Amino acid sequence: FRNALKHERQIELAFEDHRYWDLLRWKDAESVLNKPVRGVEVTKVSGVYQYSVVDVADRKFSQANYYLPFLRSEIQNSAGTLQQNPGY
């Protein structure tokens, strides 16, 4: 059921900025976002269009990216009870 739910949310909310936050919530971001961003290169040769898939950019998503850093002032104001998230 969980895989069906994830797939449904991926399709239904594709362009509504929910996908990234779903990947973080489900802890799937490392496996999904550590792939190159791919695009299509279109060239015209003698009046005929040719399409080829190319890598546009590399992405790196690490375990530390699941959490945001605390502000330094918040850590100082906590008198040592608040510690920075790992990786920051």
Side-chain angles (χ1 to χ4, degrees):
F1 176 74
R2 184 171 294 213
N3 287 336
L5 177 69
K6 288 179 181 181
H7 186 261
E8 182 67 21
R9 284 188 63 89
Q10 179 181 356
I11 292 170
E12 288 292 328
L13 304 173
F15 300 106
E16 298 181 20
D17 196 29
H18 290 274
R19 176 79 172 142
Y20 178 76
W21 302 109
D22 283 345
L23 291 173
L24 290 182
R25 184 179 321 111
W26 296 326
K27 301 285 187 189
D28 289 342
E30 271 185 292
S31 61
V32 175
L33 297 180
N34 274 331
K35 298 176 184 173
V37 178
R38 304 187 88 189
V40 176
E41 184 177 32
V42 182
T43 55
K44 187 176 182 181
V45 179
S46 8
V48 177
Y49 291 101
Q50 295 180 347
Y51 305 93
S52 58
V53 178
V54 295
D55 290 344
V56 177
D58 287 331
R59 288 193 214 173
K60 301 291 183 219
F61 189 93
S62 66
Q63 190 76 21
N65 296 125
Y66 281 114
Y67 306 103
L68 295 173
F70 292 116
L71 296 174
R72 183 180 302 268
S73 61
E74 292 297 324
I75 295 173
Q76 291 171 345
N77 290 340
S78 74
T81 57
L82 186 63
Q83 293 184 359
Q84 187 59 273
N85 283 326
Y88 289 102

